[in-house]
């Protein structure tokens, strides 16, 4: 592929890992991030970094200046409960900002667009594992804001010479195996991040929301994918778009295997040799019993194969990163 790849939100958790994967694969990478939740130090020095918001009108000039051929769009807000209490923030940061970025891409003649979507577009699925053609029925503004962007991309790709891939993530966890990046956001809500923080003394325990789900141990079951495997999926998706410029893709990103909250905490105890305190609390509104990916489509369409599909490995890498953050102070 000729030209550079623009990564939005490349100073954040998943975006920084995508930048690593792209640079490792030899791509020329440009990163923009407004640094509201990201960290400039998380951007690989091999990439060109510009502190900028995706809705900045100057993005068009940046795309032209760097001959950007593809965009990977990670920038946005991701906390589900916050989306319920502040929906306008999510429709601004996720939907309206994405619309602006897509318009800049069309204006500058960008050919390929990869979008960071979510399993939250499915809402509470009737069938698990959940496939890409399952009904889309988001139950919160976060999921709806992402689905609206998917629909915008569908319509824009039909009207302009640009193709896209929407990757619907399940539960992303872990950190770069080489210790170059990890989840660094203060007050993160992801279970494995919270649990390793508790294991290293940053928190006094972990809340378990709901013990009466229709699952083997009563706690919610989720599909956890290692962030580096996810980043690798983006590189494969980029190659697929470049090789088939008339094709658009929507693919689940997960392992097709679920773990309950208690199974995850058992893994944290096992890896850390610390017994994390578990506080049993009532379930949160809208939490499905289980959310597991049917990942047959991505395995069929891309040569992507998970390399880090092991819960203890995911926890170990998250733990190593937590210790790195502690050393940073």
């Amino acid at each position: 592929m000729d030209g550079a790849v623009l990564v939005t939100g490349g100073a954040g958790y998943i975006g920084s890992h995508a930048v690593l994967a792209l640079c490792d694969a030899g791509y020329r990478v440009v990163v923009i991030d407004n640094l509201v939740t990201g960290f400039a130090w998380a951007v690989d020095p091999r990439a060109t970094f510009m502190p900028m918001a995706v809705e900045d009108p100057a993005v068009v000039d940046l795309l032209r200046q760097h001959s950007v051929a593809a965009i990977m769009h990670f920038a946005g807000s991701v906390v589900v409960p916050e989306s319920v209490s502040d929906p306008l923030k999510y429709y601004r940061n996720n939907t309206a900002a994405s619309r602006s970025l897509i318009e800049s891409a069309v204006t500058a003649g960008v050919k390929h667009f990869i979008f960071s979507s979510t399993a939250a577009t499915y809402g509470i699925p009737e069938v698990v594992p959940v496939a890409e053609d399952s009904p889309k029925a988001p139950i919160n503004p976060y999921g709806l804001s992402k689905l609206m962007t998917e629909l915008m991309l569908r319509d824009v790709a039909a009207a302009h010479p640009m193709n896209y891939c929407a990757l619907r993530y399940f539960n992303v966890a872990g950190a770069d195996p080489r210790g170059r990046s990890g989840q660094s956001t203060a007050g993160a809500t992801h279970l494995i991040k919270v649990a390793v923080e508790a294991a290293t003394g940053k928190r006094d325990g972990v809340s378990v929301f709901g013990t009466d789900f229709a699952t083997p141990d009563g706690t919610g079951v989720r599909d956890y994918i290692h962030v580096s495997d996810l980043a690798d999926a983006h590189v494969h998706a980029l190659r697929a778009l470049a090789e088939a410029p008339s094709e658009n893709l929507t693919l689940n990103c997960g392992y097709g295997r679920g773990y309950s909250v208690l199974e995850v905490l058992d893994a944290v105890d096992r890896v850390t040799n610390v017994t994390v305190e578990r506080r049993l609390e009532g379930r949160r509104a809208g939490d499905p019993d289980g959310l597991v990916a049917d990942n047959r489509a991505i395995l069929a369409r891309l040569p992507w194969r998970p390399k880090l599909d092991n819960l203890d490995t995911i926890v170990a890498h998250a733990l190593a990163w937590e210790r790195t953050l502690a050393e940073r102070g």
Side-chain angles (χ1 to χ4, degrees):
M1 185 190 76
D2 295 329
V5 181
L6 176 73
V7 179
T8 76
Y13 174 41
I14 302 174
S16 66
H17 286 81
V19 172
L20 289 171
L22 287 165
C23 290
D24 289 348
Y27 287 92
R28 184 161 58 87
V29 180
V30 180
V31 172
I32 63 173
D33 196 300
N34 63 10
L35 299 179
V36 171
T37 58
F39 303 91
W41 53 258
V43 179
D44 189 296
R46 293 172 291 178
T48 299
F49 175 52
M50 300 290 291
M52 181 185 293
V54 298
E55 62 269 32
D56 191 322
V59 167
V60 174
D61 293 333
L62 181 103
L63 294 172
R64 289 172 170 156
Q65 177 188 348
H66 292 278
S67 301
V68 170
I71 293 174
M72 286 190 185
H73 180 33
F74 298 93
S77 298
V78 299
V79 181
V80 171
E82 183 189 46
S83 79
V84 176
S85 62
D86 191 1
L88 290 175
K89 174 180 177 179
Y90 280 69
Y91 294 125
R92 180 185 68 239
N93 290 355
N94 293 356
T95 311
S98 293
R99 183 216 167 276
S100 177
L101 177 67
I102 295 167
E103 183 173 30
S104 294
V106 170
T107 301
V110 175
K111 298 298 184 186
H112 315 297
F113 198 108
I114 295 177
F115 176 53
S116 167
S117 193
T118 172
T121 57
Y122 298 116
I124 300 178
E126 295 179 3
V127 177
V128 178
V130 58
E132 289 83 356
D133 59 358
S134 297
K136 266 58 74 182
I139 60 170
N140 51 62
Y142 168 65
L144 189 53
S145 71
K146 291 285 194 173
L147 181 59
M148 290 166 74
T149 301
E150 285 192 25
L151 296 175
M152 278 193 288
L153 285 168
R154 179 198 66 186
D155 294 342
V156 169
H160 298 280
M162 181 180 79
N163 66 340
Y164 75 93
C165 176
L167 294 174
R168 293 181 182 146
Y169 310 163
F170 282 67
N171 284 52
V172 187
D176 175 55
R178 292 164 57 185
R180 296 173 294 176
S181 189
Q183 192 167 15
S184 308
T185 311
T189 57
H190 298 78
L191 175 61
I192 291 176
K193 170 73 169 178
V194 169
V196 295
E197 284 185 343
T200 54
K202 289 186 180 179
R203 298 182 188 240
D204 59 4
V206 177
S207 294
V208 177
F209 295 105
T211 56
D212 59 349
F213 291 102
T215 60
D217 66 17
T219 63
V221 169
R222 299 291 182 269
D223 190 333
Y224 295 89
I225 180 171
H226 194 292
V227 65
S228 294
D229 274 341
L230 180 61
D232 186 43
H234 286 73
V235 176
H236 283 292
L238 175 60
R239 290 174 181 151
L241 293 183
E243 291 167 1
S246 62
E247 182 181 11
N248 301 305
L249 300 169
T250 300
L251 300 168
N252 285 338
C253 289
Y255 291 149
R257 161 78 162 89
Y259 292 95
S260 73
V261 174
L262 295 183
E263 286 177 317
V264 170
L265 295 178
D266 286 345
V268 173
D269 290 351
R270 191 164 55 242
V271 171
T272 62
N273 290 316
V274 173
T275 301
V276 173
E277 181 182 343
R278 308 169 186 199
R279 293 190 293 266
L280 305 182
E281 302 185 20
R283 67 162 74 187
R284 295 171 296 194
D287 271 354
D289 297 312
L291 193 56
V292 177
D294 180 335
N295 65 358
R296 288 177 293 178
I298 191 171
L299 295 175
R301 179 59 185 85
L302 304 181
W304 174 78
R305 294 296 179 269
K307 300 183 179 76
L308 300 163
D309 181 4
N310 179 277
L311 183 59
D312 284 20
T313 299
I314 294 171
V315 171
H317 290 162
L319 176 66
W321 181 250
E322 211 55 50
R323 289 173 173 159
T324 297
L325 288 178
E327 290 169 3
R328 284 176 179 269

